[in-house]
Amino acid sequence: MAYPAMIKSIQCAKRYIVLSSYIFDCDSLGRQFINALAQAHQRGVIVNVLLDGIGIGYSWHKSDQALKKLGVKTARFLPAISLTSIRFINLRNHRKILCVDGEVAYIGGMNLSQNNLIKSAVHPIDDIHFKVTGPVIDQISQVFIEDWFFATRELIQFPRFFFNKSVNTPERKNDKPVVARVIQDGPDEHHNRIRWTLINALVCAKTSVKIMTPYFIPDQVLMTALHSAALRGVAIEIIVPQHSNILFVDWVMEANFSRIIEYGIKIYKNKRPFDHSKIVIIDDIWSFIGSTNWDARSLEFNFEINLECFDTELNAKLTKFFALKKQNATLVIEDEINALPIYKKIRNNLFRLFSPYL
């Protein structure tokens, strides 16, 4: 559902498009975006595409090269091979941003890849992405402006949000305002903002915490915050994939299960092939959506972007989404953990030693 909406917004662009993605595969899906972006450029729309220097390597055929041939301006964030930036090879831009004309934006966890398509992939990846309108778009586009300047030393002027009262689409009639702000993070002046946002939200939790993430390897501070909330009587539920796309990460998560459930926290394993969705829902008001995983790479090394939202209706929709995911998941129980063969316990705990680097 997300990709057609994004492509339609690109096709409707009149002035300016900025797009940032960790992975932008040059496959059947990627070529749809390449064509839409190129067509926008040909009709006079300014287009800037920023891709991560490592993430672009996931595809044998490089989408930025295809875009350049069609005249679209692209840049790589910290190229993988560089005499000046090799020491920063572990610092990646994991953000997924699409902003069009200052009128609509998309953020979340979805890369641009046919692996997310039900008809194209053998084991399609589940994910969730968000369409955003309103003045918070200016905060989203500002993050792109800063990233583009870092990568190119070029300062772009992206249109600011303007509310056009004359536009009265069916979508706008149903829109209700959500109080939201961007929380950006990275190994720069914004370091640890997402970690501290999560910690403070957990401290404020009164009744429930629901977490869905593809990689759940919290550090000791976050784990303590979760345990403290559980000891106060807050009901905490966590959904992770039964099998992620990184085998040794599964082993590390499995090694942590016993200490996670120790204080009544419930953790579920989603039986879908791989679920890449990232959401946090606290009580009936607070939601946290975006690109961040619960691991050291996201919280320490990656450049990330999340939206902190305060709204009961959005919270209710995401709670329903979480409940649907839980229907296809199995609860991790202590007997299951204890029944693991000794060699698996040794293997899992051995890899857990590398948690700060995962």
Side-chain angles (χ1 to χ4, degrees), residues 10 78 129 139 151 164 182 194 211 215 224-225 239 258 310:
I10 292 170
L78 290 178
H129 219 55
Q139 295 181 23
N164 190 345
V182 162
I194 286 177
I211 300 166
Y215 315 112
T224 301
I239 299 179
S258 57
F310 298 84

Side-chain angles (χ1 to χ4, degrees), residues 19-25 49-56 62-65 67 74-79 92-93 112 144 148 151:
L19 186 150
S20 177
S21 185
Y22 178 62
I23 296 173
F24 188 155
D25 285 342
V49 178
L50 180 64
L51 303 176
D52 183 75
I54 293 292
I56 194 69
K62 304 299 183 281
S63 51
D64 59 342
Q65 294 174 6
L67 285 164
T74 71
R76 292 192 184 185
F77 190 95
L78 290 178
R92 310 319 321 165
N93 191 330
L112 302 183
F144 182 93
W148 185 264

Side-chain angles (χ1 to χ4, degrees), residues 18-249:
V18 296
L19 186 150
S20 177
S21 185
Y22 178 62
I23 296 173
F24 188 155
D25 285 342
C26 195
D27 52 21
S28 62
L29 184 280
R31 285 191 291 272
Q32 292 181 48
F33 275 86
I34 290 169
N35 292 336
L37 291 165
Q39 289 166 10
H41 167 71
Q42 290 165 8
R43 64 176 185 269
V45 177
I46 300 172
V47 183
N48 294 83
V49 178
L50 180 64
L51 303 176
D52 183 75
I54 293 292
I56 194 69
Y58 281 76
S59 179
W60 181 255
H61 298 287
K62 304 299 183 281
S63 51
D64 59 342
Q65 294 174 6
L67 285 164
K68 284 179 181 177
K69 288 180 181 178
L70 295 169
V72 177
K73 185 181 286 189
T74 71
R76 292 192 184 185
F77 190 95
L78 290 178
I81 301 174
S82 169
L83 295 176
T84 59
S85 63
I86 188 68
R87 65 190 184 278
F88 303 125
I89 196 168
N90 208 34
L91 310 181
R92 310 319 321 165
N93 191 330
H94 195 242
R95 295 167 178 148
K96 291 89 175 171
I97 296 171
L98 172 63
C99 291
V100 178
D101 290 340
E103 296 178 359
V104 63
Y106 297 84
I107 74 165
M110 290 185 71
N111 294 297
L112 302 183
S113 171
Q114 68 179 16
N115 291 330
N116 290 75
L117 300 178
I118 294 172
K119 293 181 180 179
S120 301
V122 178
H123 300 295
I125 299 170
D126 287 353
D127 216 326
I128 186 168
H129 219 55
F130 296 86
K131 182 179 181 180
V132 183
T133 59
V136 77
I137 291 175
D138 293 339
Q139 295 181 23
I140 299 172
S141 61
Q142 182 61 35
V143 174
F144 182 93
I145 290 168
E146 293 173 9
D147 288 348
W148 185 264
F149 181 78
F150 175 81
T152 67
R153 312 314 295 175
E154 176 192 8
L155 185 62
I156 62 175
Q157 300 293 326
F158 189 78
R160 295 186 65 82
F161 170 77
F162 172 73
F163 183 78
N164 190 345
K165 293 181 180 179
S166 63
V167 177
N168 195 21
T169 63
E171 278 186 343
R172 179 167 288 184
K173 288 180 180 178
N174 295 325
D175 278 349
K176 294 183 179 179
V178 173
V179 176
R181 64 170 177 168
V182 162
I183 307 292
Q184 66 182 107
D185 202 343
D188 53 8
E189 66 267 26
H190 306 297
H191 189 230
N192 270 335
R193 285 191 178 181
I194 286 177
R195 173 189 276 108
W196 285 111
T197 299
L198 288 169
I199 290 168
N200 282 301
L202 290 169
V203 168
C204 295
K206 295 179 180 179
T207 58
S208 66
V209 172
K210 295 177 174 61
I211 300 166
M212 191 169 183
T213 178
Y215 315 112
F216 186 72
I217 312 175
D219 59 23
Q220 188 57 51
V221 176
L222 276 170
M223 188 70 81
T224 301
L226 285 164
H227 285 159
S228 297
L231 288 168
R232 293 199 313 272
V234 177
I236 301 177
E237 297 178 301
I238 303 162
I239 299 179
V240 298
Q242 182 168 321
H243 302 291
S244 75
N245 61 336
I246 306 174
L247 185 60
F248 56 82
V249 170

Side-chain angles (χ1 to χ4, degrees), residues 266-333:
K266 293 181 178 179
I267 190 159
Y268 297 86
K269 293 191 291 186
N270 191 335
K271 294 181 289 185
R272 292 279 296 176
F274 178 44
D275 203 316
H276 194 248
S277 306
K278 316 163 200 292
I279 57 172
V280 183
I281 314 160
I282 295 184
D283 297 336
D284 63 351
I285 184 71
W286 193 84
S287 308
F288 205 45
I289 59 179
S291 63
T292 305
N293 301 310
W294 285 64
D295 58 19
R297 183 162 298 280
S298 260
L299 296 168
E300 286 287 342
F301 304 123
N302 286 350
F303 293 85
E304 306 279 5
I305 183 169
N306 278 41
L307 269 185
E308 183 181 29
C309 305
F310 298 84
D311 183 71
T312 55
E313 189 172 322
L314 174 62
N315 185 289
K317 288 180 180 178
L318 291 175
T319 298
K320 185 178 179 181
F321 174 81
F322 187 92
L324 287 171
K325 295 288 185 177
K326 208 168 75 170
Q327 290 178 8
N328 197 49
T330 57
L331 178 66
V332 174
I333 57 176

